[in-house]
Structures are given as structure tokens and as C-alpha cells.
Amino acid sequence: MSNLRNEQAWLITGSLMILAAVAASAALYFTKDVMVPFVLAIFITSLVAPVVDFQVVRLRIPQAVAVVVALLLVLAVHTLFVAMLTLASQQVIATAGRYSENFAVLMRRSIETVERFGIDLDDRGIVETLRNELPGLISQSFGTALSILVQGFLVVVFVTFLLAGRNPHRVHRGFYQEIDVRIRRYLATMVLLAAMMGLMVWGVLAWFGLELAAVFGLIAFLLTFVPSVGSVIATLAPLPIAVGQFDSMAEIIAVIAIPGALQIIVGNTLQPKLVGEGLDLHPVTILLSLAFWGLLWGPIGMVLAVPIMAVARIILVRFESTAPLGRLLGGVLPNIPEDAEVSSPSVSNDNPPAAAEHGPEQREREGALP
């Protein structure tokens, strides 16, 4: 009976958690115009908070002045990004027609190669669709990124109140400190790696003389914040321009292969060492979170997916009822030993099995997901 009651309790808890997740997702979707700037402000505050703390604690500067200095720093970076993205969007929109033509030529060549193996494709419909739709998609993508930065006024307002409400002299303990340290380390590392990646891609493409090299460097910088998927898109983005500009196949391959190799080196060797122990998220969790938050909040949701899920995992692990779900996000799930015996239904409540005397940590062994 006790096992049946435990199963029923877990079933009820799981059902309530699913209903709560669905309701929270709906609320986050319909309030994204406010929640996206607020979440961005939280992460930006985590990055610039040490600047305020240093001024107040070390330099004895009034907190109001320290907050103003931090806000000026945020506004300077924001203005720089708006200017860079505006110039990049103008260049891309001006060459969107030629870019789509080059992409159509590349697709036609690929389709002709496939048809040589006896596979019949409707190449005219595919190529014409891409030719007509690609300029709008390019303009829409840059317009979306630019609108996010233009709406940064609301982010600045949230950052102002979050910084003003902090107490620089307070030392946080427990899981709040864990969240603060891990998220700040992750954000700082990703900003540095993204800047380095953008500069390297721009330098390589400019060395080959590729058009829009600076634009593709900016794209590489932005897509570095999107794990796994972003590096692939950033590597293949210059391909249509390279096909239309270069006659040598060696140059086309080099323009794609060298940035791709840099992405692999940075993502697989340098990033794990700088991040340290990381955010304890399984790769499958990262991919699913990219899809989920991208569905809710669009491209900016994919950028925020990893830190949001890292915070959720840290919080879930702290509570006994949600600890299994938190460990599951990290790729760890309970593993029942092969020699475990099933409890007999005839066992009464007065004489529980010996395993019931131990805590939940001693009744399960954890196994890592592959």
C-alpha cells in the first residue's frame, strides 16, 4: 500500500507540474513584450553589478553615482551595437537581391548534382521559392534583431531599478550565490568568446577579400550565444556570397572551412576550459531548451535559453520534490539496481521493508545519461 500511495503522490505531483508548466508557458508567451526586456535586464544587471559594488565598497562612491556610471557603460555598449547592426542591416538589405541570386545558383547546382543519381527534384519550384523568399527573410531577420536593440529603453529602465535596489555590502549565501556566480561566469565568458569569434571571422573573411566580411563577423558574434545551432549557421552564412564572388573552388572551401575550424576549436576546447564546471546541463537539455524558448520568445529566447535553464536546474535541485527533475536536466536519472527485489504487496504498514528506513538518497543510485 505504501508503494501505491507513493506512486499516486508522484503521479499527482507530476500532473500538477505539467499543468503549471503549461500555464506558465502561456503567461510567458502573452507577456513576452515585458518579460523579455525584464529577463535581459536581470542578466545585464548580473554582469554590471560588480562595477557598482567596486565603486561603492572600494572607492567609497555614493551608490547613486555608481549606478549612473554603470548605466552610462550599458548605454554606450547598447549604442555601439545599434550603430553596428544598423550599418550591417543597410548593407545586407542593399545586397539582398544579389545574395538571393547567388544562393539560387548554389541550390540549382546542388539539385543538378543530386539529379545525376536518378533522384528527380522540382528544381524550378524550389529555386524560385528561395529566390523570392530569401530577401524578405534576410531583411526580416536583421529587422527583428534591430527592433530588439531599439527596445532597449525598457531594458535600461529595468536595469536602473535593479541596480538601485541592490545592497553592495550584502554578501549572499546559498543557492542565490550559486546562481549569481555561475550565470555571471557564463555570461562574461560568452561575451568574451563571442567578441573573439566575431573578430576572427571578420579577419579571415576580410583577408580573403569577401564582401560583407564585417557583417558576417557580426553574425558570428551574435550566433555564438546560440549553442550548437548558431555556429553552424554562422559558418555557412558566407557561402552564397563566396560562390558568387570567387571562381576558385579552393577559395570557396577556405572561406567556409577556416571559420568552421575556428568555431570547433573555440567551442570544443577553449569554451569548456573558460567556463569551468559549466552550468551542468545535458546537451539534449540544451537543444530542447533552444526549441522551447525559441518557440516562446523567438530568436532572443534562443539566446536566453541556456542561462534560464541553468537557473531553473539550480532551483529545482534545492527542493526534494523537484530534485529528480533538476538532476534530469543535468543528464542524471535514478537507476534501480538489477538485483533489487520488488516489495511484496503483503507487507503491512506496521512492518515496512528495511529499505524504507533509509533516506531517498540511499534508496537510489544515480546513473548519467550517455
Side-chain angles (χ1 to χ4, degrees):
M1 291 299 294
S2 61
N3 291 335
L4 180 60
R5 290 176 182 175
N6 290 334
E7 292 177 0
Q8 291 176 346
W10 275 107
L11 180 61
I12 294 173
T13 303
S15 301
L16 291 176
M17 291 179 64
I18 293 174
L19 293 175
V22 172
S25 300
L28 290 173
Y29 177 78
F30 288 108
T31 60
K32 60 182 179 181
D33 292 336
V34 176
M35 290 303 299
V36 169
F38 180 70
V39 175
L40 279 172
I42 291 177
F43 292 134
I44 293 174
T45 303
S46 178
L47 276 177
V48 301
V51 178
V52 178
D53 296 346
F54 178 79
Q55 295 178 79
V56 175
V57 178
R58 299 290 185 180
L59 303 180
R60 306 292 183 179
I61 296 177
Q63 184 172 354
V65 178
V67 170
V68 171
V69 172
L71 288 177
L72 290 176
L73 177 62
V74 173
L75 288 174
V77 175
H78 178 267
T79 304
L80 177 62
F81 268 93
V82 170
M84 293 174 58
L85 199 56
T86 301
L87 294 175
S89 61
Q90 291 176 352
Q91 294 179 9
V92 170
I93 292 173
T95 59
R98 183 159 52 88
Y99 190 93
S100 60
E101 288 293 335
N102 295 341
F103 194 84
V105 172
L106 177 62
M107 287 300 300
R108 188 180 293 110
R109 293 178 181 176
S110 301
I111 292 173
E112 291 175 355
T113 302
V114 173
E115 288 180 344
R116 293 176 184 175
F117 295 93
I119 302 176
D120 188 16
L121 297 175
D122 185 12
D123 58 334
R124 179 176 300 178
I126 296 175
V127 173
E128 289 299 326
T129 301
L130 290 173
R131 179 182 296 170
N132 296 330
E133 297 293 333
L134 193 59
L137 292 176
I138 294 173
S139 303
Q140 183 180 0
S141 300
F142 274 86
T144 301
L146 186 60
S147 64
I148 292 173
L149 289 178
V150 171
Q151 294 176 354
F153 175 75
L154 188 57
V155 176
V156 174
V157 172
F158 283 131
V159 171
T160 303
F161 283 95
L162 289 174
L163 289 176
R166 292 184 72 259
N167 184 1
H169 299 281
R170 180 183 301 171
V171 178
H172 297 283
R173 303 291 184 185
F175 79 98
Y176 182 86
Q177 182 185 20
E178 182 181 359
I179 292 174
D180 193 31
V181 170
R182 290 201 178 192
I183 297 304
R184 184 178 299 165
R185 178 189 302 167
Y186 171 80
L187 293 176
T189 301
M190 292 305 298
V191 168
L192 292 176
L193 291 177
M196 183 177 64
M197 196 69 240
L199 290 174
M200 289 192 300
V201 170
W202 170 72
V204 170
L205 298 182
W207 185 71
F208 280 99
L210 185 73
E211 296 183 34
L212 303 179
V215 174
F216 292 123
L218 181 60
I219 292 175
F221 170 81
L222 296 175
L223 292 180
T224 302
F225 293 95
V226 181
S228 304
V229 181
S231 60
V232 177
I233 299 175
T235 301
L236 297 179
L239 183 58
I241 293 293
V243 171
Q245 181 178 347
F246 300 134
D247 297 328
S248 173
M249 183 60 65
E251 290 181 319
I252 297 175
I253 295 175
V255 165
I256 303 303
I258 295 178
L262 293 176
Q263 294 277 4
I264 294 175
I265 294 173
V266 172
N268 295 334
T269 60
L270 187 58
Q271 180 176 341
K273 292 181 180 180
L274 293 179
V275 174
E277 61 182 352
L279 301 177
D280 294 337
L281 293 176
H282 195 270
V284 175
T285 302
I286 294 176
L287 292 178
L288 292 178
S289 64
L290 289 176
F292 175 75
W293 289 103
L295 180 64
L296 283 184
W297 288 350
I300 191 64
M302 301 180 70
V303 174
L304 298 174
V306 174
I308 289 177
M309 295 306 296
V311 173
R313 191 203 66 81
I314 294 173
I315 296 176
L316 290 174
V317 170
R318 289 288 173 172
F319 299 94
E320 183 178 357
S321 58
T322 58
L325 179 58
R327 292 194 294 268
L328 183 62
L329 295 179
V332 179
L333 51 83
N335 182 25
I336 301 176
E338 295 181 357
D339 57 347
E341 297 182 357
V342 179
S343 301
S344 175
S346 60
V347 177
S348 62
N349 294 333
D350 296 334
N351 297 306
E357 297 177 359
H358 302 285
E361 293 81 3
Q362 298 177 351
R363 291 201 306 267
E364 67 178 9
R365 293 191 313 182
E366 296 178 348
L369 288 175

